[in-house]
């Protein structure tokens, strides 16, 4: 799993929103595309923010920002910018954190965990959106059948990387664990 990259597991057909999209349009797009967040992109398809179901729900319910707790009183202060939001651009979280297609799954998982986010828009060298990667995408390699993992170990690791002859080493895979 160490050598797998974001490019191998990311979703390439990404539903997005323009900054001018109404919150109703955003809600419809989330539901229609069965996703929990949309990158907000500019006219060059560069991500400039992200808007999620949680953002819409907080606004709808008049709840505070996720990190908007008043440390001294232990109460939550409502962010009036959020409450007055009418468009994706008004409500989106910024700055948008992004990933690169060549990042390994491991480094991407660490980045998500360190930043406390669930998904990352994936950009190319020009800053253009080319995909999105979520925590569930990063788990996908773990769902492979033992036989597929065994085949990869024998062909790629033992054969191509270590250049070992067949039969020189025996590898077994049980419940995703290679011995």
């Amino acid at each position: 799993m160490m050598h797998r990259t974001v490019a191998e597991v990311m979703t390439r057909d990404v539903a997005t929103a323009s900054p001018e999209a109404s919150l109703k349009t955003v809600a419809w797009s989330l539901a229609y595309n069965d996703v929990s967040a949309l990158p907000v992109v500019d006219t060059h398809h560069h991500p400039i923010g992200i808007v999620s179901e949680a953002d819409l729900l907080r606004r709808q319910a008049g709840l505070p920002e996720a990190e908007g707790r008043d440390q001294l009183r232990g109460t939550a202060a409502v962010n009036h910018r959020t409450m007055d939001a009418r468009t994706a651009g008004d409500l989106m979280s910024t700055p948008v954190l992004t990933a690169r297609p060549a990042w390994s799954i491991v480094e991407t998982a660490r980045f998500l965990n360190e930043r406390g986010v669930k998904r990352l828009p994936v950009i190319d060298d020009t800053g253009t959106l080319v995909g999105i990667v979520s925590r569930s995408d990063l788990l996908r390699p773990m769902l492979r059948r033992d036989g597929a993992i065994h085949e990869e170990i024998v062909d790629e690791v033992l054969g191509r990387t270590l250049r070992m002859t067949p039969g020189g080493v025996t590898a077994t895979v049980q419940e995703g664990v290679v011995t």
Side-chain angles (χ1 to χ4, degrees):
M1 199 163 93
M2 291 284 288
H3 68 285
R4 299 247 180 239
T5 65
V6 166
E8 294 177 66
V9 298
M10 70 183 185
T11 300
R12 294 177 187 280
D13 187 19
V14 183
T16 62
S18 71
E20 299 80 24
S22 72
L23 297 183
K24 185 169 189 152
T25 299
V26 169
W28 274 107
S29 186
L30 290 168
Y32 178 79
N33 292 288
D34 194 25
V35 295
S36 59
L38 299 173
V40 180
V41 296
D42 64 16
T43 56
H44 301 290
H45 214 60
H46 296 156
I48 58 172
I50 196 158
V51 64
S52 69
E53 291 173 327
D55 296 328
L56 287 170
L57 288 172
R58 273 194 298 278
R59 185 211 173 267
Q60 198 67 13
L63 297 174
E65 294 285 331
E67 298 174 7
R69 300 206 58 82
D70 183 324
Q71 299 287 333
L72 299 175
R73 296 188 302 255
T75 60
V78 174
N79 182 328
H80 292 287
R81 181 192 67 81
T82 300
M83 293 308 303
D84 295 336
R86 298 287 178 254
T87 65
D90 294 339
L91 191 61
M92 69 184 181
S93 298
T94 59
V96 63
L97 300 173
T98 59
R100 296 298 183 120
W103 284 9
S104 76
I105 288 177
V106 172
E107 72 181 309
T108 306
R110 286 185 183 134
F111 187 82
L112 284 170
N113 186 58
E114 289 166 1
R115 301 302 195 290
V117 295
K118 297 178 182 180
R119 71 202 58 80
L120 294 168
V122 181
I123 58 170
D124 66 13
D125 291 338
T126 67
T128 302
L129 183 71
V130 295
I132 193 162
V133 65
S134 68
R135 294 182 299 187
S136 62
D137 294 328
L138 299 177
L139 292 175
R140 199 173 309 137
M142 293 180 70
L143 302 176
R144 294 180 302 150
R145 295 176 295 105
D146 286 350
I149 297 170
H150 182 268
E151 219 173 272
E152 181 179 342
I153 296 297
V154 171
D155 293 345
E156 291 185 28
V157 177
L158 299 178
R160 289 189 194 106
T161 304
L162 298 176
R163 297 176 190 226
M164 299 183 80
T165 58
V169 173
T170 303
T172 60
V173 181
Q174 187 169 357
E175 292 292 312
V177 178
V178 179
T179 306

